[in-house]
Amino acid sequence: QVQLQESGPGLVKPSQTLSLTCTVSGGSISSGGYYWSWIRQHPGKGLEWIGYIYYSGSTYYNPSLKSRVTISVDTSKNQFSLKLSSVTAADTAVYYCARTPAVAGHFDYWGQGTLVTVSS
Amino acid sequence: DIQMTQSPSSLSASVGDRVTITCRASQGISNSLAWYQQKPGKAPKLLLYAASRLESGVPSRFSGSGSGTDYTLTISSLQPEDFATYYCQQYYSLWTFGQGTKVEIK
């Protein structure tokens, strides 16, 4: 059973960089066949896809966030990470990591989510 | 961007009711559509993908249909554990979600 777990600071100051890591267990990122995504949900709101990474390191980002987002992968640790720069209060959200079969596009496994609050 | 519009935004229903939620895409998405259930404080759970394919382990009272721009999630007989918020998601071009439909107890 694949499991994903987000980790990182729950509080980030405005203008700083938000950094989160997703640790995958029960499956190997380096085996290929899946995109590994970050998705966020503003409090009481809907879901927004942030971007994905493939095991090879290729990435694709939501155009609305592209200038501030970097997603990286560490296959040796079976982890992938999100960096979101120049954060504001509008970036306060629950951040999820999730897996997508590369031949499809649905998210079949999700982490439990982690709330990140942007505040001084 | 492909915009996804769900209706209604909320509904009240009783246990045993048949419930239908609609999702409309701003352009055709060729059945590249998934449905999720989310309960408070939890991650979304995949119910269906490819518009009508039931994810393993999901009860058969959930079904999906549609084509082109219009898709439907149906719960044939609402159970107490089905009270939640439901989201559609297109993956025809990048990934976008509907705004959600909250199913509440009548």
Side-chain angles (χ1 to χ4, degrees):
Chain A
Q1 176 81 346
V2 174
Q3 292 184 314
L4 295 85
Q5 177 70 58
E6 304 88 352
S7 59
L11 181 64
V12 181
K13 288 182 167 49
S15 80
Q16 293 190 343
T17 296
L18 178 160
S19 296
L20 295 173
T21 295
C22 182
T23 301
V24 179
S25 58
S28 174
I29 290 177
S30 58
S31 63
Y34 298 96
Y35 299 129
W36 303 91
S37 283
W38 288 97
I39 296 159
R40 69 181 182 179
Q41 186 170 34
H42 295 102
K45 302 293 185 183
L47 297 152
E48 179 181 33
W49 171 74
I50 299 170
Y52 75 70
I53 192 163
Y54 196 53
Y55 80 99
S56 60
S58 62
T59 56
Y60 205 98
Y61 303 137
N62 187 324
S64 68
L65 296 167
K66 184 178 181 179
S67 63
R68 299 194 291 131
V69 173
T70 302
I71 298 176
S72 58
V73 66
D74 185 338
T75 55
S76 68
K77 294 182 179 179
N78 220 29
Q79 295 176 334
F80 62 106
S81 298
L82 168 70
K83 291 189 185 297
L84 182 65
S85 64
S86 305
V87 297
T88 69
D91 295 308
T92 293
V94 174
Y95 286 77
Y96 295 100
C97 54
R99 187 185 84 164
T100 304
V103 295
H106 55 278
F107 299 102
D108 58 357
Y109 287 97
W110 296 65
Q112 64 185 28
T114 187
L115 174 63
V116 179
T117 301
V118 179
S119 175
S120 56
Chain B
D1 288 15
I2 297 179
Q3 307 301 316
M4 305 300 291
T5 303
Q6 284 182 238
S7 60
S9 56
S10 66
L11 65 90
S12 296
S14 301
V15 172
D17 284 353
R18 181 182 182 88
V19 169
T20 298
I21 298 169
T22 297
C23 186
R24 173 166 288 176
S26 59
Q27 66 183 74
I29 57 172
S30 298
N31 289 357
S32 298
L33 186 95
W35 289 98
Y36 301 87
Q37 176 193 69
Q38 187 178 34
K39 295 182 178 179
K42 300 294 188 182
K45 173 189 174 185
L46 177 67
L47 299 176
L48 298 111
Y49 60 96
S52 61
R53 298 189 69 172
L54 200 64
E55 173 72 347
S56 176
V58 174
S60 60
R61 63 181 179 272
F62 292 93
S63 64
S65 63
S67 63
T69 60
D70 296 327
Y71 298 86
T72 299
L73 170 69
T74 299
I75 309 172
S76 61
S77 178
L78 199 65
Q79 298 301 300
E81 60 268 30
D82 300 338
F83 292 96
T85 300
Y86 293 84
Y87 294 93
C88 63
Q89 173 235 333
Q90 69 80 21
Y91 47 92
Y92 181 77
S93 175
L94 298 183
W95 289 268
T96 49
F97 294 86
Q99 80 278 17
T101 295
K102 187 173 185 178
V103 177
E104 299 175 300
I105 301 173
K106 195 170 191 177

Short mmCIF file of all heavy atoms in Angstrom, two decimals, chain B residues 6-42:
data_model
loop_
_atom_site.label_atom_id
_atom_site.label_comp_id
_atom_site.label_asym_id
_atom_site.label_seq_id
_atom_site.Cartn_x
_atom_site.Cartn_y
_atom_site.Cartn_z
N GLN B 6 -19.20 23.00 -10.95
CA GLN B 6 -20.05 21.99 -10.35
C GLN B 6 -21.39 22.60 -9.94
O GLN B 6 -21.47 23.77 -9.56
CB GLN B 6 -19.39 21.40 -9.10
CG GLN B 6 -18.28 20.44 -9.38
CD GLN B 6 -17.69 19.84 -8.12
OE1 GLN B 6 -16.50 19.97 -7.90
NE2 GLN B 6 -18.51 19.17 -7.31
N SER B 7 -22.42 21.79 -10.01
CA SER B 7 -23.72 22.20 -9.49
C SER B 7 -24.45 20.99 -8.91
O SER B 7 -24.31 19.88 -9.42
CB SER B 7 -24.55 22.86 -10.60
OG SER B 7 -24.76 21.95 -11.66
N PRO B 8 -25.19 21.21 -7.80
CA PRO B 8 -25.23 22.47 -7.06
C PRO B 8 -23.98 22.65 -6.22
O PRO B 8 -23.15 21.74 -6.14
CB PRO B 8 -26.47 22.28 -6.18
CG PRO B 8 -26.46 20.80 -5.91
CD PRO B 8 -25.97 20.15 -7.17
N SER B 9 -23.83 23.78 -5.55
CA SER B 9 -22.69 23.97 -4.66
C SER B 9 -22.93 23.26 -3.33
O SER B 9 -21.97 22.91 -2.63
CB SER B 9 -22.44 25.45 -4.43
OG SER B 9 -23.60 26.08 -3.95
N SER B 10 -24.19 23.06 -3.00
CA SER B 10 -24.54 22.27 -1.82
C SER B 10 -25.93 21.69 -1.99
O SER B 10 -26.72 22.19 -2.81
CB SER B 10 -24.49 23.13 -0.54
OG SER B 10 -25.49 24.12 -0.57
N LEU B 11 -26.20 20.62 -1.27
CA LEU B 11 -27.52 20.02 -1.30
C LEU B 11 -27.78 19.32 0.03
O LEU B 11 -26.85 18.89 0.71
CB LEU B 11 -27.63 19.05 -2.47
CG LEU B 11 -26.76 17.80 -2.48
CD1 LEU B 11 -27.44 16.63 -1.80
CD2 LEU B 11 -26.39 17.42 -3.91
N SER B 12 -29.05 19.23 0.35
CA SER B 12 -29.48 18.50 1.54
C SER B 12 -30.23 17.26 1.10
O SER B 12 -31.11 17.35 0.23
CB SER B 12 -30.38 19.37 2.42
OG SER B 12 -29.66 20.48 2.91
N ALA B 13 -29.90 16.13 1.68
CA ALA B 13 -30.54 14.88 1.29
C ALA B 13 -30.65 13.95 2.50
O ALA B 13 -29.97 14.15 3.52
CB ALA B 13 -29.74 14.21 0.17
N SER B 14 -31.50 12.97 2.35
CA SER B 14 -31.73 11.99 3.42
C SER B 14 -31.07 10.67 3.07
O SER B 14 -30.84 10.38 1.88
CB SER B 14 -33.22 11.79 3.63
OG SER B 14 -33.86 13.00 3.98
N VAL B 15 -30.81 9.89 4.10
CA VAL B 15 -30.29 8.54 3.88
C VAL B 15 -31.26 7.78 2.98
O VAL B 15 -32.48 7.83 3.18
CB VAL B 15 -30.08 7.81 5.21
CG1 VAL B 15 -29.72 6.35 4.99
CG2 VAL B 15 -28.99 8.51 6.03
N GLY B 16 -30.72 7.13 1.98
CA GLY B 16 -31.52 6.38 1.02
C GLY B 16 -31.87 7.15 -0.24
O GLY B 16 -32.31 6.55 -1.23
N ASP B 17 -31.65 8.45 -0.23
CA ASP B 17 -31.95 9.26 -1.42
C ASP B 17 -30.97 8.97 -2.54
O ASP B 17 -29.82 8.58 -2.32
CB ASP B 17 -31.87 10.76 -1.09
CG ASP B 17 -33.07 11.27 -0.33
OD1 ASP B 17 -34.03 10.50 -0.14
OD2 ASP B 17 -33.03 12.45 0.09
N ARG B 18 -31.44 9.23 -3.75
CA ARG B 18 -30.57 9.21 -4.94
C ARG B 18 -30.07 10.63 -5.12
O ARG B 18 -30.86 11.59 -5.16
CB ARG B 18 -31.36 8.74 -6.16
CG ARG B 18 -30.54 8.65 -7.44
CD ARG B 18 -31.44 8.21 -8.60
NE ARG B 18 -30.74 8.04 -9.85
CZ ARG B 18 -30.16 6.91 -10.23
NH1 ARG B 18 -30.19 5.85 -9.44
NH2 ARG B 18 -29.56 6.83 -11.41
N VAL B 19 -28.76 10.78 -5.25
CA VAL B 19 -28.15 12.10 -5.34
C VAL B 19 -27.36 12.21 -6.65
O VAL B 19 -26.62 11.28 -7.01
CB VAL B 19 -27.21 12.35 -4.14
CG1 VAL B 19 -26.36 13.59 -4.35
CG2 VAL B 19 -28.02 12.48 -2.85
N THR B 20 -27.52 13.34 -7.32
CA THR B 20 -26.80 13.58 -8.57
C THR B 20 -26.08 14.91 -8.50
O THR B 20 -26.68 15.93 -8.12
CB THR B 20 -27.77 13.58 -9.76
OG1 THR B 20 -28.40 12.30 -9.85
CG2 THR B 20 -27.03 13.87 -11.06
N ILE B 21 -24.81 14.89 -8.85
CA ILE B 21 -23.97 16.10 -8.89
C ILE B 21 -23.45 16.24 -10.32
O ILE B 21 -23.03 15.26 -10.93
CB ILE B 21 -22.80 15.98 -7.90
CG1 ILE B 21 -23.34 15.85 -6.46
CG2 ILE B 21 -21.86 17.18 -8.02
CD1 ILE B 21 -22.27 15.45 -5.45
N THR B 22 -23.49 17.45 -10.81
CA THR B 22 -23.09 17.72 -12.19
C THR B 22 -21.80 18.54 -12.24
O THR B 22 -21.59 19.43 -11.42
CB THR B 22 -24.20 18.45 -12.93
OG1 THR B 22 -25.35 17.61 -12.98
CG2 THR B 22 -23.79 18.82 -14.35
N CYS B 23 -20.99 18.24 -13.23
CA CYS B 23 -19.75 18.97 -13.46
C CYS B 23 -19.69 19.34 -14.95
O CYS B 23 -19.85 18.46 -15.81
CB CYS B 23 -18.57 18.09 -13.08
SG CYS B 23 -16.96 18.90 -13.16
N ARG B 24 -19.49 20.62 -15.22
CA ARG B 24 -19.41 21.08 -16.61
C ARG B 24 -18.04 21.70 -16.87
O ARG B 24 -17.59 22.56 -16.11
CB ARG B 24 -20.51 22.10 -16.90
CG ARG B 24 -20.40 22.76 -18.27
CD ARG B 24 -21.67 23.48 -18.64
NE ARG B 24 -22.73 22.52 -18.96
CZ ARG B 24 -23.99 22.87 -19.24
NH1 ARG B 24 -24.34 24.16 -19.22
NH2 ARG B 24 -24.89 21.97 -19.53
N ALA B 25 -17.41 21.25 -17.94
CA ALA B 25 -16.10 21.78 -18.33
C ALA B 25 -16.28 22.91 -19.34
O ALA B 25 -17.24 22.92 -20.12
CB ALA B 25 -15.24 20.67 -18.93
N SER B 26 -15.34 23.84 -19.34
CA SER B 26 -15.42 24.98 -20.26
C SER B 26 -15.10 24.59 -21.70
O SER B 26 -15.32 25.38 -22.62
CB SER B 26 -14.49 26.09 -19.79
OG SER B 26 -13.15 25.63 -19.72
N GLN B 27 -14.57 23.38 -21.90
CA GLN B 27 -14.37 22.82 -23.23
C GLN B 27 -14.41 21.30 -23.11
O GLN B 27 -14.34 20.77 -21.99
CB GLN B 27 -13.05 23.30 -23.85
CG GLN B 27 -11.83 22.80 -23.13
CD GLN B 27 -10.54 23.35 -23.71
OE1 GLN B 27 -10.19 24.51 -23.52
NE2 GLN B 27 -9.83 22.50 -24.44
N GLY B 28 -14.52 20.61 -24.21
CA GLY B 28 -14.57 19.17 -24.17
C GLY B 28 -13.33 18.55 -23.55
O GLY B 28 -12.22 19.02 -23.80
N ILE B 29 -13.52 17.52 -22.71
CA ILE B 29 -12.39 16.91 -22.00
C ILE B 29 -12.31 15.40 -22.23
O ILE B 29 -11.56 14.71 -21.55
CB ILE B 29 -12.44 17.22 -20.48
CG1 ILE B 29 -13.75 16.74 -19.85
CG2 ILE B 29 -12.20 18.71 -20.23
CD1 ILE B 29 -13.78 16.83 -18.33
N SER B 30 -13.08 14.89 -23.17
CA SER B 30 -12.92 13.50 -23.63
C SER B 30 -12.86 12.49 -22.49
O SER B 30 -11.99 11.61 -22.46
CB SER B 30 -11.65 13.37 -24.49
OG SER B 30 -11.75 14.15 -25.63
N ASN B 31 -13.76 12.60 -21.55
CA ASN B 31 -13.88 11.67 -20.42
C ASN B 31 -12.66 11.67 -19.49
O ASN B 31 -12.51 10.76 -18.68
CB ASN B 31 -14.14 10.24 -20.91
CG ASN B 31 -15.55 10.07 -21.47
OD1 ASN B 31 -16.34 11.00 -21.46
ND2 ASN B 31 -15.81 8.90 -21.98
N SER B 32 -11.82 12.71 -19.60
CA SER B 32 -10.65 12.80 -18.71
C SER B 32 -11.09 13.48 -17.41
O SER B 32 -10.73 14.63 -17.11
CB SER B 32 -9.54 13.60 -19.39
OG SER B 32 -9.13 12.95 -20.56
N LEU B 33 -11.89 12.76 -16.64
CA LEU B 33 -12.53 13.33 -15.46
C LEU B 33 -12.51 12.34 -14.32
O LEU B 33 -12.76 11.16 -14.50
CB LEU B 33 -13.98 13.70 -15.78
CG LEU B 33 -14.65 14.42 -14.62
CD1 LEU B 33 -14.57 15.93 -14.80
CD2 LEU B 33 -16.07 13.97 -14.39
N ALA B 34 -12.20 12.88 -13.13
CA ALA B 34 -12.22 12.09 -11.91
C ALA B 34 -13.15 12.75 -10.89
O ALA B 34 -13.39 13.96 -10.96
CB ALA B 34 -10.82 11.96 -11.33
N TRP B 35 -13.63 11.93 -9.97
CA TRP B 35 -14.45 12.42 -8.86
C TRP B 35 -13.81 12.01 -7.54
O TRP B 35 -13.30 10.90 -7.41
CB TRP B 35 -15.86 11.82 -8.92
CG TRP B 35 -16.72 12.33 -10.03
CD1 TRP B 35 -16.94 11.74 -11.24
CD2 TRP B 35 -17.51 13.52 -10.03
NE1 TRP B 35 -17.80 12.50 -12.00
CE2 TRP B 35 -18.17 13.60 -11.27
CE3 TRP B 35 -17.72 14.55 -9.09
CZ2 TRP B 35 -19.04 14.64 -11.61
CZ3 TRP B 35 -18.58 15.59 -9.42
CH2 TRP B 35 -19.23 15.63 -10.66
N TYR B 36 -13.85 12.92 -6.57
CA TYR B 36 -13.28 12.70 -5.25
C TYR B 36 -14.30 13.02 -4.17
O TYR B 36 -15.17 13.89 -4.36
CB TYR B 36 -12.05 13.60 -5.02
CG TYR B 36 -10.95 13.38 -6.03
CD1 TYR B 36 -10.96 14.08 -7.23
CD2 TYR B 36 -9.92 12.48 -5.79
CE1 TYR B 36 -9.96 13.89 -8.17
CE2 TYR B 36 -8.91 12.29 -6.73
CZ TYR B 36 -8.95 13.00 -7.92
OH TYR B 36 -7.97 12.80 -8.85
N GLN B 37 -14.13 12.35 -3.04
CA GLN B 37 -14.91 12.63 -1.83
C GLN B 37 -13.96 13.15 -0.78
O GLN B 37 -12.88 12.57 -0.57
CB GLN B 37 -15.57 11.33 -1.34
CG GLN B 37 -16.33 11.46 -0.04
CD GLN B 37 -16.66 10.09 0.54
OE1 GLN B 37 -15.77 9.35 0.99
NE2 GLN B 37 -17.93 9.72 0.51
N GLN B 38 -14.34 14.24 -0.12
CA GLN B 38 -13.50 14.76 0.95
C GLN B 38 -14.32 15.00 2.20
O GLN B 38 -15.36 15.65 2.15
CB GLN B 38 -12.82 16.08 0.54
CG GLN B 38 -11.81 16.57 1.57
CD GLN B 38 -11.09 17.83 1.16
OE1 GLN B 38 -11.64 18.70 0.50
NE2 GLN B 38 -9.81 17.95 1.54
N LYS B 39 -13.83 14.45 3.30
CA LYS B 39 -14.45 14.69 4.60
C LYS B 39 -13.60 15.69 5.38
O LYS B 39 -12.40 15.83 5.10
CB LYS B 39 -14.61 13.36 5.35
CG LYS B 39 -15.57 12.43 4.63
CD LYS B 39 -15.79 11.13 5.36
CE LYS B 39 -16.81 10.27 4.59
NZ LYS B 39 -17.05 8.97 5.26
N PRO B 40 -14.21 16.40 6.33
CA PRO B 40 -13.48 17.47 7.05
C PRO B 40 -12.17 16.98 7.66
O PRO B 40 -12.12 15.94 8.31
CB PRO B 40 -14.48 17.89 8.13
CG PRO B 40 -15.81 17.60 7.54
CD PRO B 40 -15.63 16.33 6.75
N GLY B 41 -11.11 17.73 7.40
CA GLY B 41 -9.81 17.42 7.96
C GLY B 41 -9.08 16.27 7.29
O GLY B 41 -8.02 15.86 7.76
N LYS B 42 -9.63 15.75 6.19
CA LYS B 42 -9.04 14.61 5.50
C LYS B 42 -8.66 14.99 4.09
O LYS B 42 -9.18 15.95 3.52
CB LYS B 42 -10.02 13.43 5.47
CG LYS B 42 -10.44 12.93 6.84
CD LYS B 42 -9.29 12.31 7.58
CE LYS B 42 -9.75 11.65 8.88
NZ LYS B 42 -8.60 11.07 9.64
#
